[in-house]
Amino acid sequence: MSDAPAAPAREPEHDSHGGGAILAALGANVGIAVVKFLAFLFSGSTSMLAESVHSLADSGNQVLLLLGGRRARKGADREHPFGYGRERYVYAFVVAIILFSVGGVFSIYEGVHKLQEAGHYVRPHLWWLPLAVLVISILLEGLSLRTGIAESRPHKGSGTWVQFIRRAKNPELPAVLLEDVAALTGLVLALIGVGLSLITGSGVFDAAGSVAIGALLVLVAIVLGTEVKSLLVGEGANDVELRAIEDAVLAGPETDRIIHLRTLYLGPDELLVAAKIAMPAERSLVDAAAATDTIEARIRAAVPVARLIYLEPDVFRA
């Protein structure tokens, strides 16, 4: 391994944390949660109660994502020599659990409970209030989703949005996008359920809307949890980054073979690269160290997130 110092620690890019998208979603969800709960108190709608809990859970989730991003910026210490970057993954996984338990399971429970006793739907005096709240909430969630899409697009590249959710190393933006899409879909389901109950006088539609919202949240939580779990276990560089690293290593005369190469994301903004590279047996230690420094510089230029690089010169044996 080269004796060149590792790249200096740096603050993760603010945009990579999706701070703007998280704050936009947090502001929208806090306001919406309060208004939805007031609408539930006046209307007694089960769908409105489910949506109130959903928005409250989302608000807590956004606070957790902000906290995870803040804690991930702590510098490396003796106990955590590779830093705290993966705390962002831990907090994102907690978000998935909360979305599943608080949002999804509660909504399903309330919906099933109301279905068992669903009968004539008592039309509230302010029957228009839940409908107005839902329409306004749809508009606000749409603005929040637009902010999330705008912040995510530079990181998405030329791939699809599904590929972005599957492959993103940054857990905050996919989490916010999934929450916003689930929130918009849930609001539409609630609007349909409440509207049909008002029209038909049957509480079945309102209760069914709550069950549908809960099932949607459970599905989103499973998708988010699965993707974040993969990051927690440890993901390496993607195919594009891996090819760029290999090309950088072999671009000069220092080596003509990579014996083996391993990569690991220590956090969304920090990639660990470890490789054993072949060098001539007759090369002196000083020359080998200089050659290793040159290769490290090329790797960092090709893949800027490669913050920690460990190269081991060796003699190739067939």
Side-chain angles (χ1 to χ4, degrees):
M1 186 189 76
S2 165
D3 59 357
R10 65 184 174 106
E11 289 288 315
E13 298 292 337
H14 176 70
D15 288 342
S16 74
H17 287 75
I22 298 174
L23 290 174
L26 176 60
N29 281 316
V30 170
I32 291 172
V34 173
V35 176
K36 283 178 181 176
F37 190 72
L38 291 175
F40 158 71
L41 293 178
F42 281 102
S43 67
S45 167
T46 306
S47 294
M48 288 305 304
L49 177 60
E51 275 299 310
S52 301
V53 174
H54 177 192
S55 294
L56 185 63
D58 280 354
S59 300
N61 289 342
Q62 271 104 48
V63 172
L64 285 173
L65 291 175
L66 289 171
L67 180 60
R70 181 189 180 100
R71 290 182 61 86
R73 288 194 286 269
K74 290 174 59 179
D77 53 33
R78 184 173 181 179
E79 186 175 6
H80 297 89
F82 291 112
Y84 291 80
R86 297 179 78 173
E87 285 221 33
R88 291 167 67 179
Y89 301 151
V90 175
Y91 279 83
F93 192 73
V94 173
V95 164
I97 295 173
I98 292 177
L99 194 63
F100 175 87
S101 58
V102 177
V105 175
F106 177 82
S107 298
I108 292 175
Y109 169 79
E110 280 296 315
V112 171
H113 178 69
K114 290 295 183 181
L115 278 174
Q116 292 173 344
E117 59 183 36
H120 179 69
Y121 183 76
V122 180
R123 185 173 183 176
H125 177 65
L126 299 175
W127 61 268
W128 50 269
L129 182 60
L131 298 179
V133 168
L134 288 170
V135 171
I136 294 173
S137 299
I138 288 173
L139 295 176
L140 292 176
E141 286 289 357
L143 293 175
S144 175
L145 178 60
R146 188 177 69 172
T147 302
I149 290 174
E151 289 214 11
S152 300
R153 186 167 281 116
H155 304 277
K156 181 178 78 73
S158 59
T160 65
W161 286 108
V162 173
Q163 290 173 332
F164 171 70
I165 298 295
R166 294 286 309 274
R167 299 174 182 175
K169 307 303 180 186
N170 172 347
E172 291 90 358
L173 287 174
V176 171
L177 286 177
L178 286 172
E179 284 185 350
D180 284 346
V181 170
L184 272 176
T185 308
L187 287 167
V188 172
L189 293 173
L191 184 62
I192 293 173
V194 173
L196 288 176
S197 288
L198 287 172
I199 293 172
T200 64
S202 173
V204 172
F205 298 104
D206 184 32
S210 178
V211 174
I213 292 168
L216 172 68
L217 294 179
V218 169
L219 177 62
V220 171
I222 291 173
V223 172
L224 178 60
T226 300
E227 297 306 320
V228 177
K229 177 186 73 69
S230 179
L231 292 169
L232 273 173
V233 172
E235 287 189 0
N238 59 41
D239 292 339
V240 174
E241 292 168 333
L242 202 56
R243 283 195 298 270
I245 293 171
E246 291 172 347
D247 291 343
V249 172
L250 301 174
E254 296 83 12
T255 181
D256 60 357
R257 182 185 296 272
I258 299 173
I259 300 174
H260 67 70
L261 172 65
R262 300 289 185 270
T263 61
L264 177 67
Y265 266 94
L266 303 174
D269 306 297
E270 192 167 34
L271 178 67
L272 168 68
V273 178
K276 181 177 287 191
I277 54 177
M279 289 189 180
E282 63 275 9
R283 178 170 288 177
S284 69
L285 180 60
V286 174
D287 290 342
T292 304
D293 291 347
T294 301
I295 295 172
E296 285 185 5
R298 288 203 300 263
I299 293 174
R300 288 198 174 94
V303 183
V305 293
R307 305 298 299 169
L308 291 176
I309 302 174
Y310 296 95
L311 301 179
E312 179 185 352
D314 201 352
V315 178
F316 176 70
R317 302 171 184 84

